[in-house]
């Protein structure tokens, strides 16, 4: 799969779309598509012939179909026809596939560039200047709706191409979040298309040398080549280190196989480990990076929603043991986290849904505005939504880097959730379990008079809207209580509950009577 988002160049005739597009494609080593030329080839006649024989409507229909086709592809530089993106539908279709750039030019410039052109059916017959001015006036509003405009008047094709590429780069990094740690700080970069710029971002953090890119076959097939290409371009020496896909492989055996691969490729402390994948890859590669040669630099490249908003941030890395999840671990702060929301386009719907539970959790713990946004806007994992959930987690881990206090709030819904996960034999997904757990926690808070009933209503409605469960079946409340208590005892911890006081505010308490919990569990059970 070619992953880089498309660059779509729009503009009036004579603004240089085709020449600039070709130059941009040449510089970026991409495929160039000139829509008008492609339509001519497919229909088997020139555009003036098409207008004359089949009419403008036929041509516009060809444009519409081609927009839909190209929007499904990636890594292209596309020059559209001058009128192709005038219909709102076409603009939206191509807009979802990448960056839209509109080229403009003054009328004299357009006239000069079109001086020799005879194949412009829309300019036929009339005085050219007058015709151009009329057409421009008709299209001005549609062109002005394109967010990025480049005035090409007096510029060469090379200069315009340079500006398009600069725009692509600057537009990609939309968010930069700094995280303070006990030993320094690191940056989280968020932006669409950033996986193609990992090398450059790693360089900016002073990383170089061998780059061990740890991934699994699922994620590797989709994104490893993009990351490897960018690492090479930035002068790093990438080598792909594969581990099998799945929580079952989050083990010391897998870590050991990574050590073998690191040694074989000559990774040393001047190099880095890059974790490309979901939370499992982040945890296992992170643990390997924390321990190999007493620690080598780590870069997190999370590709699931859960890993983006939770697992990749905060420096906890771990593997599972036969006696329990995450029993063997370390604190290992990354040098850099790169979050590219476009990676979510290939994620399973069920995985995305699971991630939503963590995003909603972030809203309940620390961001009423995020919660409200989700209530109003629904389930688009957009960059601002991810960024806000990340900020909630960052604020908490900065305050409590070694998990000795405040960080416990991140376990909202987890006390109930873990017990349900365990009892289901892990057939219930983590996100689903956390979802039911958050409702149980909120209901407990209401029962104890800590929060208003409305909070529970809003939370349950939002979870349901995201397709997440709010009730459980199959188990006896007493069974769940036992599972919660045993789970905590095993970890040598007290049974503690994170309870909402309001949207955006939670408290941690171990003062919840067993009878209250049993009653709430009874009421949340479906029969
Ligand atoms: N370290 C922490 O602070 C922390 C916090 C929360 C969770 N975790 C850990 O995270 C793990 C769960 O992470 P997860 O939910 O990301 O699961 P996961 O890593 O198993 O990923 C889920 C599935 O999606 C695939 N996948 C990942 N990205 C994809 C993409 N962009 N397109 C297509 N497929 C993709 C994976 O290969 C996998 O099959 C657990 O082990 C949990 O303990 C750690």
């Amino acid at each position: 799969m070619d992953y880089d988002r498309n660059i779509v160049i729009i503009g009036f005739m004579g603004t240089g779309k085709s020449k600039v597009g070709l130059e941009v494609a040449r510089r970026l080593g991409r495929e160039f598509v000139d829509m008008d030329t492609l339509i001519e080839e497919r229909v088997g006649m020139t555009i003036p012939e098409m207008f004359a024989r089949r009419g403008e409507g036929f041509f516009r229909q060809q444009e519409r179909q081609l927009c839909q086709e190209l929007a499904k592809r990636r890594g292209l530089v596309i020059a559209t026809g001058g009128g192709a993106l005038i219909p709102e539908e076409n603009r939206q279709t191509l807009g979802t596939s990448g960056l839209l750039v509109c080229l403009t030019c003054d009328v004299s410039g357009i006239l000069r560039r079109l001086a020799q052109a005879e194949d412009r059916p829309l300019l036929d017959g009339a005085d050219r200047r007058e015709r151009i001015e009329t057409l421009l006036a008709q299209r001005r509003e549609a062109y002005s709706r394109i967010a990025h405009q480049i005035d090409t008047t007096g510029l060469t094709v090379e200069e315009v191409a340079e500006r398009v590429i600069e725009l692509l780069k600057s537009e990609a990094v939309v968010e930069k979040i700094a995280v303070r740690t006990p030993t320094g700080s690191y940056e989280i970069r968020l932006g669409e298309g950033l996986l193609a710029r990992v090398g450059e971002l790693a360089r900016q953090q002073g990383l170089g040398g061998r780059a061990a890119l740890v991934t699994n076959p699922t994620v590797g097939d989709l994104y490893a080549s993009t990351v490897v290409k960018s690492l090479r371009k930035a002068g790093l020496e990438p080598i792909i280190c594969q581990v099998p896909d799945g929580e079952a492989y989050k083990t010391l055996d897998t870590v050991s196989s990574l050590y073998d691969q690191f040694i074989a490729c000559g990774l040393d402390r001047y190099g880095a480990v890059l974790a490309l994948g979901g939370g499992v890859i982040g945890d296992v590669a992170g643990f390997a990076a924390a321990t190999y040669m007493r620690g080598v630099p780590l870069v997190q490249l999370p590709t699931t929603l859960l890993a983006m908003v939770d697992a990749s941030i905060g420096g906890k890395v771990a593997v599972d043991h036969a006696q329990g999840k995450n029993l063997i671990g370390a604190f290992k702060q990354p040098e850099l986290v790169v979050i590219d929301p476009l990676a979510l386009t290939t994620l399973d719907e069920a995985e995305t849904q699971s991630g939503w539970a963590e995003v909603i959790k972030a809203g309940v713990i620390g961001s009423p505005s995020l919660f409200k946004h989700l209530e109003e806007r629904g389930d688009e994992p957009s960059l601002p939504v991810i960024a806000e959930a990340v900020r909630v987690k960052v604020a908490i881990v900065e305050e409590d880097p070694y998990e000795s206090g405040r960080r416990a709030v991140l376990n909202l819904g987890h006390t109930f959730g873990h017990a349900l996960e365990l009892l289901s034999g892990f057939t219930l997904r983590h996100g689903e379990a956390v979802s039911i757990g958050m409702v149980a926690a909120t209901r407990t808070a209401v029962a104890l008079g800590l929060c208003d009933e409305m909070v529970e209503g809003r939370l349950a409605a939002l979870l349901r809207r995201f397709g997440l469960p709010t009730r459980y079946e199959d188990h006896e409340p007493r069974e769940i209580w036992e599972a919660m208590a045993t789970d905590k005892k095993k970890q040598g911890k007290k049974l503690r509950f994170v309870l909402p006081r309001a949207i955006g505010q939670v408290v941690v308490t171990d003062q919840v009577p067993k009878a209250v919990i049993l009653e709430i569990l009874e009421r949340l059970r479906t029969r």
Side-chain angles (χ1 to χ4, degrees):
M1 174 180 167
D2 199 343
Y3 161 75
D4 304 341
R5 65 202 188 127
N6 295 332
I7 301 168
V8 185
I9 303 179
I10 304 144
F12 195 71
M13 61 185 94
T15 50
K17 297 180 296 289
S18 300
K19 286 188 181 139
V20 169
L22 198 60
E23 179 62 14
V24 171
R26 190 188 66 75
R27 291 190 191 195
L28 298 177
R30 288 182 175 212
E31 185 182 336
F32 173 61
V33 178
D34 185 312
M35 283 182 62
D36 283 353
T37 310
L38 192 57
I39 292 173
E40 285 183 332
E41 279 169 17
R42 288 184 177 178
V43 177
M45 50 179 119
T46 64
I47 291 172
E49 280 170 351
M50 239 178 284
F51 268 64
R53 289 209 229 152
R54 313 284 297 268
E56 186 175 347
F58 171 81
F59 174 68
R60 298 293 172 211
Q61 172 65 13
Q62 300 299 310
E63 277 187 330
R64 193 169 71 88
Q65 279 170 4
L66 189 54
C67 285
Q68 286 166 358
E69 185 187 320
L70 295 175
K72 294 192 186 116
R73 297 181 56 197
R74 292 291 180 274
L76 303 174
V77 177
I78 303 166
T80 71
L85 295 208
I86 300 301
E88 176 73 12
E89 181 195 343
N90 292 357
R91 193 168 62 82
Q92 281 188 3
T93 306
L94 273 184
T96 58
S97 82
L99 178 76
L100 301 185
V101 186
C102 182
L103 305 186
T104 63
C105 184
D106 67 13
V107 177
S108 304
I110 292 174
L111 269 171
R112 256 196 314 280
R113 288 177 191 165
L114 292 179
Q116 268 91 47
E118 285 168 11
D119 57 345
R120 303 286 174 173
L122 290 176
L123 298 184
D124 276 355
D127 167 74
R128 278 202 160 184
R129 176 177 283 274
E130 203 182 294
R131 186 75 188 117
I132 287 171
E133 280 170 352
T134 312
L135 262 179
L136 265 177
Q138 285 167 3
R139 293 181 176 179
R140 185 159 292 122
E141 210 231 309
Y143 286 142
S144 72
R145 275 189 253 128
I146 310 291
H148 302 290
Q149 307 264 330
I150 297 177
D151 184 358
T152 66
T153 311
L155 297 182
T156 63
V157 168
E158 287 71 24
E159 285 165 339
V160 181
E162 190 65 46
R163 292 200 187 176
V164 172
I165 292 169
E166 271 169 23
L167 189 64
L168 182 74
K169 288 186 173 175
S170 66
E171 211 245 359
V173 177
V174 196
E175 286 276 356
K176 191 157 56 165
I177 299 171
V179 188
R180 279 178 288 114
T181 70
T183 49
S185 68
Y186 62 91
E187 264 181 10
I188 301 170
R189 299 285 192 119
L190 296 101
E192 294 190 347
L194 281 194
L195 281 183
R197 293 184 51 206
V198 169
E200 171 197 335
L201 298 174
R203 269 270 177 234
Q204 285 169 15
Q205 297 307 309
L207 299 173
R210 269 272 178 239
L213 184 65
V214 179
T215 190
N216 65 33
T218 316
V219 182
D221 281 359
L222 291 164
Y223 303 111
S225 69
T226 300
V227 178
V228 163
K229 212 159 93 183
S230 90
L231 290 168
R232 275 211 190 100
K233 208 167 142 202
L236 283 92
E237 301 156 39
I239 180 98
I240 296 176
C241 302
Q242 289 260 15
V243 300
D245 188 2
E247 179 79 30
Y249 297 97
K250 207 177 101 172
T251 60
L252 276 179
D253 280 349
T254 304
V255 172
S256 182
S257 88
L258 280 176
Y259 295 150
D260 293 343
Q261 296 181 64
F262 293 169
I263 293 165
C265 77
L267 176 69
D268 58 22
R269 284 196 193 148
Y270 300 104
V273 169
L274 294 91
L276 175 68
V280 168
I281 289 290
D283 272 6
V284 84
F287 186 74
T291 45
Y292 179 72
M293 291 191 167
R294 297 195 185 84
V296 292
L298 171 68
V299 175
Q300 292 278 10
L301 308 173
T303 59
T304 63
L305 187 53
L306 177 135
M308 289 177 187
V309 301
D310 191 359
S312 65
I313 305 154
K316 280 199 327 182
V317 294
V319 292
D320 300 335
H321 184 272
Q323 293 304 313
K325 269 188 68 153
N326 298 324
L327 276 189
I328 299 149
F331 284 98
K332 170 72 182 166
Q333 301 295 347
E335 304 297 311
L336 171 71
V337 180
V338 179
I339 296 177
D340 182 347
L342 286 185
L344 298 177
T345 52
T346 53
L347 192 63
D348 241 18
E349 212 176 302
E351 294 295 345
T352 308
Q353 209 174 51
S354 216
W356 277 119
E358 302 294 337
V359 176
I360 294 171
K361 186 189 83 178
V364 180
I365 294 172
S367 177
S369 62
L370 171 61
F371 195 92
K372 194 152 173 277
H373 177 95
L374 296 174
E375 285 181 314
E376 285 166 4
R377 303 284 291 276
D379 58 349
E380 191 48 40
S382 64
L383 204 129
V385 165
I386 297 171
E388 181 60 13
V390 165
R391 276 191 285 267
V392 170
K393 171 121 191 200
V394 166
I396 294 163
V397 300
E398 278 189 340
E399 199 181 309
D400 180 17
Y402 295 121
E403 203 173 24
S404 49
R406 168 107 179 115
R407 206 153 160 159
V409 299
L410 291 168
N411 289 333
L412 171 66
H414 284 61
T415 310
F416 293 99
H418 274 160
L420 290 169
E421 247 181 316
L422 271 174
L423 288 173
S424 76
F426 291 93
T427 53
L428 193 66
R429 283 173 183 275
H430 180 70
E432 292 171 338
V434 169
S435 173
I436 302 167
M438 284 195 283
V439 176
T442 314
R443 205 168 260 210
T444 307
V446 174
L448 296 178
L450 290 172
C451 102
D452 194 290
E453 213 166 337
M454 247 175 50
V455 173
E456 186 199 330
R458 280 177 69 190
L459 176 61
L462 187 60
L463 292 165
R464 276 196 295 272
R465 183 161 168 205
F466 280 77
L468 287 157
T470 54
R471 292 170 159 264
Y472 70 96
E473 46 192 320
D474 295 339
H475 309 292
E476 290 289 331
R478 202 161 285 281
E479 259 186 292
I480 300 174
W481 170 268
E482 289 303 328
M484 288 197 298
T486 325
D487 188 33
K488 284 296 150 191
K489 217 182 283 163
K490 258 195 198 165
Q491 296 175 38
K493 292 179 189 160
K494 269 186 154 179
L495 196 51
R496 278 194 307 180
F497 296 88
V498 184
L499 306 179
R501 288 197 70 101
I503 299 295
Q505 196 195 344
V506 291
V507 288
V508 184
T509 176
D510 50 14
Q511 303 297 311
V512 185
K514 181 176 168 185
V516 172
I517 300 287
L518 288 178
E519 194 197 320
I520 277 150
L521 287 172
E522 187 60 46
R523 279 172 25 207
L524 282 181
R525 195 173 166 202
T526 43
R527 280 158 218 285

